Amino acid sequence: PQSHPVAQFDFEKGVDDWTGLYDQPKTSATQGASGKTCFSLATRRPVNREYLSPFFQVEPGKKYRISCRVKVDRFEKGPCPLCVNIRWYFAPNETCGLGGWNIYRLTPDSKEKTFDWKTVERVVEVPIRKWMKGELKYGRIQIRNYRTVGSAQVDDVTITEVDPSTPASNGIPKITK
């Protein structure tokens, strides 16, 4: 497997290559986890915000470690102020991806509602299913909230291929300070 990242987003050069589905993505001028800027997700009323990274190539059946740094400043009301997902695609520039494998999701049941920077990672396998019309060869990172008032930041998103013997995380991310 590769030791260098398949894709990496540190937001030091902004978010011009990211796509916003409800509005344009923004970076925060506040201190990022490892640099001067980070991805900023903030709402003052319970609305949806969803942002997608540029496409990056993956290989069907291979496993990838997706890691990022997350921080939540405010969580007032709503089901989810921050969700980081991986979405799969058959071709670049496809508009509708498959699934939304959670890398991290904060909910009203979470013990900590606000926190400083944490590292979150999950190992996922690119799915192969008999019913699919082809092979999934592309991925995108999705950063979003669900009808929630709050503010959160994401930084240092990295996707790296891992050894095939590495166990997949089965929906449970590894979280460290």
Side-chain angles (χ1 to χ4, degrees):
Q2 303 176 28
S3 58
H4 65 279
V6 171
Q8 196 166 18
F9 307 102
D10 66 8
F11 306 108
E12 292 304 308
K13 294 181 182 171
V15 290
D16 292 343
D17 49 353
W18 283 63
T19 303
L21 300 185
Y22 302 103
D23 67 346
Q24 291 306 306
K26 299 172 184 67
T27 54
S28 171
T30 61
Q31 185 68 30
S34 65
K36 294 180 182 178
T37 62
C38 59
F39 191 96
S40 177
L41 180 63
T43 58
R44 294 177 197 204
R45 52 191 166 83
V47 295
N48 287 335
R49 295 284 182 253
E50 182 176 347
Y51 308 96
L52 293 164
S53 75
F55 287 91
F56 51 87
Q57 287 190 301
V58 295
E59 292 184 49
K62 293 218 172 172
K63 293 180 181 176
Y64 295 87
R65 175 174 286 112
I66 302 170
S67 65
C68 62
R69 304 274 291 153
V70 296
K71 176 182 177 182
V72 177
D73 297 317
R74 199 173 94 239
F75 182 178
E76 291 180 17
K77 59 182 176 178
C80 179
L82 176 62
C83 189
V84 180
N85 297 324
I86 176 74
R87 295 185 58 83
W88 309 111
Y89 296 83
F90 295 105
N93 302 322
E94 191 175 30
T95 56
C96 185
L98 175 70
W101 275 247
N102 285 338
I103 306 308
Y104 180 77
R105 182 176 178 155
L106 183 66
T107 67
D109 297 333
S110 300
K111 289 182 182 179
E112 286 185 284
K113 302 284 192 266
T114 61
F115 49 83
D116 204 355
W117 290 107
K118 291 182 182 186
T119 299
V120 176
E121 69 177 47
R122 180 171 172 207
V123 174
V124 297
E125 184 173 353
V126 179
I128 299 175
R129 304 287 188 271
K130 290 180 183 178
W131 54 264
M132 292 191 306
K133 64 181 180 183
E135 294 182 327
L136 297 168
K137 295 183 178 181
Y138 296 88
R140 292 178 100 175
I141 296 297
Q142 175 191 53
I143 299 174
R144 70 171 301 168
N145 77 340
Y146 298 98
R147 300 176 315 278
T148 302
V149 175
S151 63
Q153 289 84 43
V154 178
D155 206 357
D156 303 325
V157 179
T158 304
I159 299 92
T160 308
E161 185 182 334
V162 296
D163 187 274
S165 64
T166 305
S169 304
N170 296 325
I172 302 169
K174 178 181 174 186
I175 302 172
T176 56
K177 293 279 182 188

